[in-house]
Amino acid sequence: MSEAQKNQDQLMVEIRDLNKWYGEFHVLKNINLQVKRGERIVICGPSGSGKSTMIRCINRLEEHQQGEIIVNGTPLVEDVKKIEAIRKDVGMVFQHFNLFPHLTVLENCVLAPIWVKKIPRKQAEATAMKYLERVKIPDQALKYPGQLSGGQQQRVAIARSLCMNPDVMLFDEPTSALDPEMIKEVLDVMIELAHEGMTMLCVTHEMGFAKTVADRVIFMDGGQIVEENEPNAFFNNPEHERTQLFLSQILNH
Amino acid sequence: MKYDPQPTLPAPPGTLGVVGWMRKHLFNGPFNSIATVVLAYFIIIFMWPVIDWAILSADWIGTTRNDCTSDGACWVFISQRLNQFLYGFYPEAETWRLDLAFIMMAALIAWLIIPKTPFKGWVAAFTLLIFPFIAFVLLSGGYFGLESVDTHKWGGLSLTLVLAVVGIVAALPFGILLALGRRSHMPIVRSLSVVYIEIWRGVPLITVLFMASVMLPLFFPEDMNFDKLLRALIGITMFQSAYMAEVVRGGLQAISKGQYEAADSLGLGYWQKMNMIILPQALKLMIPGIVNTFIALFKDTSLVLIIGLFDLLAIMQASANDPNWIGFSTEGYVFVALVFWVFCFGMSRYSIHLEKRLHTGHGNRA
């Protein structure tokens, strides 16, 4: 195996010169980002800075107009089969959980493994129960999402993504819609996941989480990556004025 | 501060049960009590003559109009003509075939709507894929030694049911496809769906039936003779599927973007996403609208009268013009209305039941 290939293999997500517009509005400007296998990235920034849009580009929930996105060696192009193949390997957790309300927790978890990965139902259910146990709600497996609390629903959503055995997980403000007392139970699951070596990109304002698990913290503003550093340096010595202002606003209250 | 757990007390007397309900809803305050009494009086005053005409002084038994001697309704007319109302001009010796087909259908539907019957999937597949052929063979004959019965002899309630059931079963899938087409990202599919829906929604059903029956044959070679009933069925289905499409589209729009995104992010394909995630939720939301369309369709079948098909209403009118029974059309109309009402009310109640059963609690039902 050549050196270049090895390097390629280790890159889980690569974003090169990414540009995106909503109509006339330029939301993402020249984004460059490389995420290695097993790396944990936290992305923060004021609302409207393009951080959600950026991670949503990675599994093509948003379409980009310029630049390249390569996920696990597969370039993301306008081809339904390629897009679906990438989505199989990229898990996503949403701010509003987006569980399927007409299906039970267990059915939520086995649906995609059975229909997308063609795993036999028995095996899919066993895997689902394993992950539900890991997020500590195996006893809720036969309930409907509407019967669970927000924190429980978000943990189910994480389990649902894990059931696809993804190579990388995207978290789009996973705790922003939760009551304060439920944030911890979700963060605990995410921390555990991080310790197990999952490649993660998290859009979040939970700075405690960033300090605990992140390998790198990225600060975005106005559709650009303003600053990128390992958490210690990021929080203690932010380089840019904009970062300093943002941190002072979210940390000192 | 000291905290004392309070005991749980029974509800105050007169707030529960029938007495409690009446106090709360009928007699809460002097004005409402008077209103209740006055309205009850009017209801009795107006209902009494109806009850008297329809039941108390009605004639129930006999064979001819001479048996109707009292002032009330003459139900003898209905009972004497019941066979015609049910079977139209279907040969009397063959009506068991209609009975068999409709009993089978009723049994299959019952199997499907009663909760907890086994093999629902297989029964549903049988009902949709195999039963239509059985019913067709039974009704029109010509195979297995069954005497062939031409569709112009079909009539009465059985024709109404054929029109309604075929229309309902065919309009729903077409409507769903059209609704998906209208929301498609492919411009040609979308435009075709929009054009189809807007054209069919913009013309009255009578026009559609008239075109199907009178104008369509002009465009075909003379020896090519489509069955008139088949043409009516196609017309009704195409017309109703446009309405159904708009009902379904409403349901699709009510599903949040997050559901689409969650399905996408799991790698589900378009049809998997629609079949397993979006449509089940959308159709559940749309049950009232869908059933509303079904009910309208059921009643609209009586319009086939204008192209010379004798549905329940038409055959009743024809019977009422029989010189032996002239003057009893009121009974006929009341009977037909009652039959239509029973079917429509049944659909309405089932839709309410279905809504409750499919509700999985978007928040607070334990």
Side-chain angles (χ1 to χ4, degrees):
Chain A
M1 199 184 277
S2 72
E3 202 52 40
Q5 217 172 348
K6 215 173 191 174
N7 197 29
Q8 190 74 33
D9 279 354
Q10 282 192 335
L11 281 182
M12 202 61 235
V13 178
E14 189 176 7
I15 299 176
R16 272 192 234 143
D17 302 324
L18 180 72
N19 277 285
K20 174 172 173 61
W21 289 263
Y22 283 130
E24 290 279 298
F25 180 57
H26 198 174
V27 258
L28 293 178
K29 301 172 183 164
N30 261 346
I31 303 281
N32 280 287
L33 178 68
Q34 296 191 331
V35 183
K36 290 204 248 346
R37 183 178 287 278
E39 237 187 332
R40 280 89 57 170
I41 312 279
V42 164
I43 301 149
C44 59
S47 62
S49 61
K51 50 197 192 311
S52 286
T53 309
M54 182 184 79
I55 70 162
R56 286 157 59 86
C57 282
I58 296 173
N59 64 351
R60 199 52 173 230
L61 289 184
E62 302 283 353
E63 210 173 310
H64 61 273
Q65 283 88 21
Q66 276 180 12
E68 258 187 297
I69 299 176
I70 301 164
V71 181
N72 207 4
T74 314
L76 189 52
V77 289
E78 188 69 53
D79 172 356
V80 180
K81 288 284 152 239
K82 280 253 170 68
I83 294 172
E84 281 170 13
I86 285 178
R87 284 171 174 168
K88 243 196 304 196
D89 297 336
V90 178
M92 184 150 200
V93 175
F94 299 88
Q95 181 177 4
H96 296 287
F97 332 135
N98 297 352
L99 294 175
F100 307 129
H102 61 303
L103 300 176
T104 63
V105 165
L106 188 62
E107 285 164 342
N108 263 280
C109 292
V110 298
L111 187 101
I114 290 175
W115 291 96
V116 179
K117 290 202 145 179
K118 315 287 178 208
I119 293 172
R121 174 170 281 272
K122 275 258 153 31
Q123 195 187 328
E125 281 180 359
T127 314
M129 285 314 291
K130 186 182 89 187
Y131 285 117
L132 285 174
E133 221 141 291
R134 253 181 53 185
V135 301
K136 300 179 187 68
I137 32 177
D139 46 326
Q140 313 283 358
L142 298 179
K143 287 196 181 166
Y144 286 96
Q147 298 166 305
L148 306 184
S149 73
Q152 288 174 320
Q153 290 195 42
Q154 192 61 297
R155 284 185 283 151
V156 171
I158 294 174
R160 177 176 71 177
S161 283
L162 291 176
C163 284
M164 287 294 280
N165 199 13
D167 294 317
V168 53
M169 288 279 285
L170 309 174
F171 291 85
D172 189 2
E173 307 207 25
T175 55
S176 308
L178 294 175
D179 290 340
E181 51 195 284
M182 291 169 184
I183 291 177
K184 187 174 175 297
E185 63 188 55
V186 171
L187 287 180
D188 283 347
V189 169
M190 290 169 63
I191 291 169
E192 208 186 303
L193 202 58
H195 288 324
E196 283 162 18
M198 176 62 76
T199 314
M200 296 163 76
L201 282 90
C202 310
V203 172
T204 182
H205 293 138
E206 295 298 329
M207 291 304 133
F209 173 77
K211 282 174 192 160
T212 322
V213 304
D215 296 307
R216 265 188 293 158
V217 181
I218 287 171
F219 175 71
M220 286 182 74
D221 188 35
Q224 282 177 292
I225 293 182
V226 175
E227 189 160 348
E228 182 179 340
N229 217 331
E230 54 91 23
N232 243 332
F234 181 84
F235 288 110
N236 298 329
N237 298 308
E239 271 174 50
H240 291 267
E241 219 173 292
R242 185 66 189 87
T243 321
Q244 288 163 9
L245 179 68
F246 177 75
L247 286 176
S248 71
Q249 274 164 345
I250 65 165
L251 293 177
N252 310 325
H253 59 75
Chain B
M1 202 172 118
K2 197 167 159 267
Y3 162 68
D4 272 328
Q6 296 283 318
T8 307
L9 301 173
T15 57
L16 295 176
V18 180
V19 178
W21 185 88
M22 285 175 68
R23 271 172 75 154
K24 187 168 169 207
H25 295 282
L26 298 178
F27 300 102
N28 54 341
F31 177 77
N32 282 351
S33 304
I34 292 169
T36 299
V37 172
V38 171
L39 285 175
Y41 174 76
F42 277 114
I43 289 172
I44 291 166
I45 289 286
F46 285 116
M47 286 307 290
W48 182 251
V50 175
I51 294 169
D52 184 54
W53 176 83
I55 300 168
L56 298 179
S57 28
D59 287 296
W60 295 86
I61 28 185
T63 48
T64 65
R65 61 181 303 147
N66 299 328
D67 294 314
C68 291
T69 47
S70 58
D71 302 336
C74 178
W75 299 120
V76 178
F77 168 53
I78 306 296
S79 63
Q80 283 304 303
R81 289 309 183 100
L82 192 61
N83 268 347
Q84 224 177 56
F85 292 167
L86 294 180
Y87 307 119
F89 309 110
Y90 213 80
E92 217 162 312
E94 306 291 328
T95 53
W96 63 270
R97 282 153 52 178
L98 292 177
D99 292 339
L100 181 62
F102 285 110
I103 288 170
M104 268 178 87
M105 189 176 77
L108 288 168
I109 291 175
W111 189 289
L112 291 173
I113 69 178
I114 293 172
K116 296 207 174 119
T117 45
F119 312 116
K120 273 219 162 66
W122 290 107
V123 175
F126 176 81
T127 310
L128 287 176
L129 302 175
I130 301 175
F131 177 70
F133 293 99
I134 299 178
F136 176 76
V137 169
L138 273 173
L139 264 58
S140 60
Y143 301 94
F144 307 112
L146 291 172
E147 188 196 324
S148 173
V149 180
D150 203 69
T151 52
H152 71 253
K153 290 184 180 164
W154 298 16
L157 180 62
S158 48
L159 179 68
T160 297
L161 287 176
V162 166
L163 289 165
V165 170
V166 173
I168 284 172
V169 171
L172 185 59
F174 281 126
I176 290 173
L177 286 179
L178 283 168
L180 292 177
R182 192 165 187 168
R183 284 171 59 82
S184 165
H185 294 297
M186 290 178 273
I188 294 179
V189 173
R190 189 173 57 229
S191 328
L192 285 177
S193 307
V194 171
V195 167
Y196 179 97
I197 291 170
E198 296 306 339
I199 286 180
W200 287 92
R201 259 193 339 159
V203 286
L205 180 56
I206 288 202
T207 323
V208 174
L209 290 171
F210 201 69
M211 299 264 277
S213 134
V214 180
M215 290 190 56
L216 211 55
L218 300 178
F219 298 113
F220 287 116
E222 242 169 70
D223 50 336
M224 199 173 146
N225 191 18
F226 270 122
D227 189 89
K228 199 203 282 182
L229 175 62
L230 182 64
R231 277 181 273 145
L233 279 172
I234 293 174
I236 288 177
T237 301
M238 295 183 93
F239 180 83
Q240 296 292 349
S241 52
Y243 274 88
M244 193 57 74
E246 288 300 280
V247 174
V248 175
R249 188 166 68 99
L252 290 173
Q253 275 167 352
I255 304 300
S256 78
K257 203 162 149 253
Q259 292 291 308
Y260 290 88
E261 289 180 348
D264 284 339
S265 77
L266 288 167
L268 293 171
Y270 176 81
W271 290 107
Q272 291 175 330
K273 173 172 70 177
M274 286 302 163
N275 283 334
M276 295 187 290
I277 309 299
I278 307 300
L279 283 174
Q281 295 184 59
L283 293 180
K284 189 168 79 182
L285 288 173
M286 282 298 104
I287 289 171
I290 290 173
V291 173
N292 195 29
T293 309
F294 284 172
I295 288 175
L297 190 158
F298 191 88
K299 293 186 296 183
D300 280 353
T301 56
S302 53
L303 290 175
V304 296
L305 162 82
I306 65 132
I307 57 167
L309 290 172
F310 284 83
D311 79 313
L312 177 59
L313 180 64
I315 212 137
M316 187 284 297
Q317 285 176 332
S319 300
N321 285 334
D322 179 339
N324 292 325
W325 291 103
I326 277 203
F328 294 113
S329 54
T330 310
E331 285 83 345
Y333 281 116
V334 168
F335 172 74
V336 169
L338 201 66
V339 173
F340 272 99
W341 182 81
V342 164
F343 279 97
C344 294
F345 185 67
M347 284 195 267
S348 159
R349 296 312 296 182
Y350 180 62
S351 91
I352 291 172
H353 164 78
L354 204 58
E355 268 176 77
K356 280 189 188 148
R357 192 157 66 82
L358 292 178
H359 183 78
T360 55
H362 299 267
N364 47 17
R365 202 194 65 154

